[in-house]
């Protein structure tokens, strides 16, 4: 009887140990499952579908945003106002002086507000010595432009002054020729270009890369910076 009891006890102990060993192995294997596998299990078919729909909605939102910008631009009236009167200079009897005043008026006739936009107005002069050489006289920048729907905006007036002489052998300098307007959205991307005359609009991408007082040709290619000792003449 005692022997039989001892056998039962030993058998139960062996069964218990076997159960514990297998249970520990299962826990160990579960702990070694890669995190991405665990994430996959957590993200069942429903969660995965939700994520796909979310990404799809975000893309659609971006497209709508671009469409909205195009829609706003159609209802936007942008008018650069540039005044460039010429007068006699005090530096020399035949020199001429131009003081350019510029600003930009915006009328938002759309049903959407404009927030955080910006613009650069490039004031361009033409060399009195060559029909194919230009100077970037001024870059008038306005940032953080906000215009409510059906609202109006006028940028702060900015000025620049320069001299030139277009007479005979003493020619030097540049005379006001026109401008290029680059309108930017809140991300800084150029969404509209307007050039007067239109030739500046055709080479807008190159002009936008130039610094103030840069000399460039009729194709928008940089030549040099205009300075006191420039080969194009004195200031």
């Amino acid at each position: 009887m005692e022997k039989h009891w001892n056998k039962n006890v030993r058998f139960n102990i062996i069964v218990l140990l076997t159960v514990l060993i297998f249970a520990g192995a299962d826990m160990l294997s579960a702990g070694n499952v890669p995190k991405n596998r665990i994430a996959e299990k957590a993200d069942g078919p429903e969660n995965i579908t939700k994520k796909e729909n979310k990404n799809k909605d975000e893309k659609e939102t971006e497209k709508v945003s671009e469409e909205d910008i195009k829609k706003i631009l159609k209802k936007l009236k942008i008018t650069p106002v540039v005044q460039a009167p010429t007068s006699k200079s005090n530096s020399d009897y035949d020199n001429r002086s131009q003081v350019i005043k510029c600003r930009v008026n915006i009328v938002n006739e759309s049903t959407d507000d404009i927030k955080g936009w910006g613009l650069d107005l490039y004031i361009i002069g033409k060399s009195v010595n060559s029909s194919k050489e230009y100077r970037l006289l001024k870059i008038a920048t306005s940032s953080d432009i906000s215009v409510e729907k059906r609202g109006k905006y006028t940028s702060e007036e900015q000025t620049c002054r320069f001299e030139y002489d277009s007479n005979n052998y003493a020619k030097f300098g540049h005379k006001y020729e026109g401008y290029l307007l680059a309108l930017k959205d809140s991300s800084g991307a150029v969404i509209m270009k307007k050039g007067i005359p239109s030739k500046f609009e055709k080479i807008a991408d190159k002009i936008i890369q130039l610094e103030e007082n840069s000399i460039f040709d009729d194709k928008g290619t940089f030549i040099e910076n205009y300075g006191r000792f420039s080969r194009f003449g004195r200031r």
Side-chain angles (χ1 to χ4, degrees), residues 59-153:
K59 288 181 180 178
E60 287 178 356
T61 301
E62 288 176 4
K63 287 180 181 177
V64 169
S65 179
E66 290 176 5
E67 290 173 2
D68 283 346
I69 288 177
K70 290 179 182 178
K71 205 187 302 179
I72 292 171
L73 289 176
K74 289 180 180 178
K75 295 286 186 178
L76 213 59
K77 289 185 178 179
I78 302 180
T79 310
V81 179
V82 182
Q83 297 173 322
T86 302
S87 60
K88 288 184 179 181
S89 170
N90 295 326
S91 62
D92 198 272
Y93 76 96
D94 59 352
N95 285 1
R96 292 292 178 268
S97 173
Q98 280 189 316
V99 178
I100 297 179
K101 297 179 181 180
C102 57
R103 67 180 188 279
V104 178
N105 296 329
I106 298 176
V107 178
N108 182 13
E109 295 182 345
S110 73
T111 55
D112 297 286
D113 296 337
I114 292 174
K115 292 182 180 179
W117 285 20
L119 64 84
D120 291 322
L121 186 62
Y122 299 82
I123 304 299
I124 301 168
K126 184 177 181 179
S127 171
V128 297
N129 286 301
S130 171
S131 61
K132 294 184 179 181
E133 291 170 351
Y134 301 88
R135 174 186 166 193
L136 187 48
L137 303 170
K138 176 76 176 177
I139 303 176
T141 299
S142 298
S143 58
D144 199 20
I145 297 172
S146 296
V147 191
E148 294 182 353
K149 56 187 177 183
R150 310 297 183 191
K152 297 179 181 180
Y153 166 87

Side-chain angles (χ1 to χ4, degrees), residues 34-52 55:
K35 291 181 180 180
N36 60 342
R37 290 288 302 278
I38 295 173
E40 285 176 8
K41 289 180 180 179
D43 287 340
E46 290 183 5
N47 289 336
I48 291 172
T49 304
K50 285 179 181 177
K51 283 187 175 181
E52 287 176 352
N55 293 334

Side-chain angles (χ1 to χ4, degrees), residues 124 134 177-180 196-204 207:
I124 301 168
Y134 301 88
E177 177 74 1
Y179 63 80
L180 171 70
I196 298 294
S198 59
K199 61 185 177 183
F200 294 138
E201 198 171 318
K202 294 176 182 177
I203 56 173
I207 293 176

Side-chain angles (χ1 to χ4, degrees), residues 22 57 63 72-73 101 124 151 161-162 167 174 180 190 229:
F22 278 106
D57 290 341
K63 287 180 181 177
I72 292 171
L73 289 176
K101 297 179 181 180
I124 301 168
R161 179 185 178 280
F162 57 94
N167 293 315
H174 303 77
L180 171 70
V190 177
F229 302 105

